[in-house]
Amino acid sequence: MLNFAHLKKGSVIPRKTIYRLSIYLRCLARLRENGISTVSSEALAQAAGVKPTQLRKDLAYFGTFGTRGLGYDVGALSKKISDKLGTSRLQPVILVGVGNLGLALLSYRGFEKEGFEIVAAFDADPRRKRDKQIKQPIFGMDELSIVVKEQGIKMAILTVPAAVAQEVANHLVEAGIVGILNFSPIVLAVSEDVMVNNVNLAIELENLSYFTQE
Amino acid sequence: MLNFAHLKKGSVIPRKTIYRLSIYLRCLARLRENGISTVSSEALAQAAGVKPTQLRKDLAYFGTFGTRGLGYDVGALSKKISDKLGTSRLQPVILVGVGNLGLALLSYRGFEKEGFEIVAAFDADPRRKRDKQIKQPIFGMDELSIVVKEQGIKMAILTVPAAVAQEVANHLVEAGIVGILNFSPIVLAVSEDVMVNNVNLAIELENLSYFTQE
DNA sequence: AAATGTGAAGTTGTTCACAGCT
DNA sequence: AGCTGTGAACAACTTCACATTT
């Protein structure tokens, strides 16, 4: 039968599916490290903590990659997912706000392994003394626009205090940033062509607290 | 037969609602700081980045707190949500894995303000030299069980390398931990009476990357 | 025989529309 | 008049059941 999957409908992949694709990708990477070249939806779903049918549905949103009776080729599927997610090439990211948390993220090995490189950091006080050596240069906020534009950077990690987060976010958007990973505990107001992902550790703890109380 | 009588039928609050309650709580705190004592669902929803009807539905899951024609009392609503979330009292938490990220979280001011206190840290190598002074004691893994039991601690922040994450998680559960905030990039397998919240920075970036690629 | 791909059914979460208080 | 609280409609997501392919 002919396959029209590639031009089907609005081709809108659910947000949750995209999130799970990232998880599948990491599970596939581990399988590959262990020299496993073929995997069934059942085994991969198990590793990712989802049901096999969900995994198959997720993949079906953007193609058909399996072989019936056999399963999926680990390498080929990794490649397809990686292409879809846009992480086949190393992506430059900046970090804004070099305090405690920002500094830790700057020295966090593991982004690079996952396809991201923090190429520069920015801070209101770039010369402030910091008790850790890092390899990235720290610039003042006035240089943000130039660096972003020159290097065509699209994503930023925001680790500034809540009080200035909105202001800094505006600055980022103005400079051309379209994706913000926001660690400040406030809801940023941005135009709808800018995407914000929030990471709020206190909320995560609070959430745990609720579900573990009796 | 299992007995679910204590879960009053129809009283299960959705996970997403619980998550949003935490957001509302933070918005209410800011209103209070600004001396605002009454707020409408429209204004609060706006601050939290949701629709007014959603806010009202969320609150309706556990009570009716508003005054028709007027709105909600900021202080009273804060109290009710805080009680529901179980964050009215300071909660003790431990952190396991004092590397880069773990160290940063240990010195992160802001948990306490939000109702959590990291009371102790654990590491396979507690005496390892670290380039930052922290106030919490660092113990070896063999002391984990005793500390958790003595202080009745229920929640742990897990910041160990992926390779040992599952093993350490087993150790935590054995010691009596029922809530884990997991920063390791693997899906932990735990019994279903233990709750795991995952924070995976690479996945968040990947997600942004997808939605900002054109 | 084994495992994928998918329409249909089921479940959960969101928004609407408006009744009901203050 | 203004704003909450809520059943009903709607939308999104998940799971089932099974036809289809190797």
Side-chain angles (χ1 to χ4, degrees):
Chain A
M1 190 201 266
L2 293 174
N3 182 357
F4 290 109
H6 61 289
L7 40 80
K8 213 165 33 174
K9 59 208 163 186
S11 270
V12 187
I13 303 181
R15 234 197 112 112
K16 286 182 153 188
T17 291
I18 294 299
Y19 198 88
R20 285 191 298 264
L21 288 179
S22 285
I23 298 175
Y24 303 152
L25 198 50
R26 278 157 188 75
C27 294
L28 287 167
R30 266 193 298 155
L31 290 174
R32 201 148 45 159
E33 280 162 21
N34 295 339
I36 295 164
S37 64
T38 302
V39 68
S40 69
S41 63
E42 174 143 3
L44 182 53
Q46 157 103 348
V50 302
K51 294 237 161 73
T53 47
Q54 177 148 77
L55 165 59
R56 299 204 296 272
K57 253 291 194 270
D58 282 341
L59 298 181
Y61 280 111
F62 68 107
T64 69
F65 313 113
T67 307
R68 294 174 193 222
L70 190 66
Y72 301 88
D73 180 85
V74 172
L77 186 56
S78 293
K79 180 71 167 58
K80 291 292 184 185
I81 294 178
S82 190
D83 281 351
K84 195 70 196 171
L85 292 177
T87 49
S88 297
R89 288 177 302 260
L90 200 67
Q91 294 221 25
V93 181
I94 57 168
L95 182 142
V96 184
V98 190
N100 259 335
L101 189 58
L103 202 55
L105 295 181
L106 284 174
S107 42
Y108 178 53
R109 329 229 114 282
F111 278 133
E112 222 142 318
K113 196 179 59 184
E114 311 266 11
F116 300 95
E117 185 186 7
I118 303 180
V119 295
F122 297 85
D123 196 282
D125 182 1
R127 304 204 185 292
R128 167 165 50 142
K129 188 149 178 271
R130 294 178 171 87
D131 41 33
K132 182 174 288 199
Q133 279 300 40
I134 48 161
K135 63 173 210 278
Q136 296 94 342
I138 304 181
F139 298 110
M141 296 301 293
D142 50 330
E143 299 182 78
L144 197 149
S145 215
I146 300 162
V147 175
V148 167
K149 279 168 186 156
E150 265 180 4
Q151 304 200 32
I153 294 166
K154 289 182 166 178
M155 301 199 296
I157 299 174
L158 186 60
T159 49
V160 299
V164 296
Q166 181 63 58
E167 180 196 337
V168 174
N170 296 344
H171 196 158
L172 288 171
V173 171
E174 218 174 280
I177 292 293
V178 290
I180 300 176
L181 185 54
N182 174 39
F183 283 80
S184 319
I186 70 157
V187 178
L188 296 178
V190 295
S191 60
E192 66 176 28
D193 50 328
V194 176
M195 170 120 186
V196 177
N197 272 7
N198 294 297
V199 176
N200 190 320
L201 304 179
I203 289 186
E204 296 297 333
L205 275 182
E206 213 163 89
N207 199 254
L208 270 185
S209 162
Y210 174 80
F211 286 103
T212 59
Q213 81 188 294
E214 217 61 338
Chain B
M1 191 208 260
L2 293 173
N3 182 0
F4 292 112
H6 60 290
L7 296 174
K8 275 173 302 172
K9 195 172 145 199
S11 74
V12 186
I13 304 183
R15 230 195 117 113
K16 285 184 153 188
T17 291
I18 295 298
Y19 197 87
R20 285 190 297 262
L21 288 179
S22 285
I23 298 175
Y24 303 151
L25 198 50
R26 278 156 189 76
C27 294
L28 287 166
R30 266 191 300 155
L31 290 174
R32 201 148 45 159
E33 281 164 20
N34 295 337
I36 296 164
S37 64
T38 302
V39 68
S40 69
S41 62
E42 173 142 4
L44 182 52
Q46 156 102 349
V50 303
K51 295 237 159 74
T53 48
Q54 177 147 76
L55 164 60
R56 299 204 297 272
K57 237 330 179 244
D58 283 341
L59 298 180
Y61 280 112
F62 68 107
T64 68
F65 314 111
T67 307
R68 296 175 191 221
L70 191 65
Y72 301 88
D73 180 86
V74 171
L77 186 55
S78 294
K79 180 72 168 57
K80 291 292 185 187
I81 294 178
S82 191
D83 282 351
K84 194 70 195 172
L85 292 176
T87 48
S88 298
R89 288 176 303 259
L90 201 67
Q91 296 223 25
V93 181
I94 58 168
L95 182 142
V96 184
V98 189
N100 259 335
L101 188 58
L103 201 55
L105 294 181
L106 284 173
S107 41
Y108 177 52
R109 330 227 115 285
F111 279 133
E112 223 141 316
K113 196 180 57 182
E114 310 266 12
F116 300 95
E117 185 187 6
I118 303 180
V119 295
F122 298 86
D123 196 281
D125 181 2
R127 305 202 186 294
R128 167 165 47 142
K129 188 145 176 275
R130 293 178 172 87
D131 41 32
K132 181 176 288 201
Q133 280 300 41
I134 49 162
K135 64 174 209 278
Q136 297 94 342
I138 304 182
F139 299 110
M141 295 302 293
D142 49 331
E143 298 182 79
L144 196 149
S145 215
I146 301 162
V147 175
V148 167
K149 278 168 186 154
E150 265 180 4
Q151 305 201 32
I153 294 166
K154 289 181 166 180
M155 301 197 294
I157 299 173
L158 187 59
T159 47
V160 300
V164 297
Q166 182 62 59
E167 180 196 337
V168 174
N170 295 344
H171 196 159
L172 288 172
V173 172
E174 217 174 281
I177 292 292
V178 289
I180 300 175
L181 185 53
N182 174 40
F183 284 80
S184 319
I186 70 157
V187 178
L188 296 177
V190 295
S191 60
E192 65 177 28
D193 50 328
V194 176
M195 170 120 186
V196 178
N197 272 7
N198 295 296
V199 176
N200 190 319
L201 305 179
I203 289 186
E204 296 297 332
L205 274 183
E206 213 163 88
N207 200 255
L208 271 186
S209 162
Y210 174 79
F211 285 104
T212 59
Q213 81 188 291
E214 214 63 339

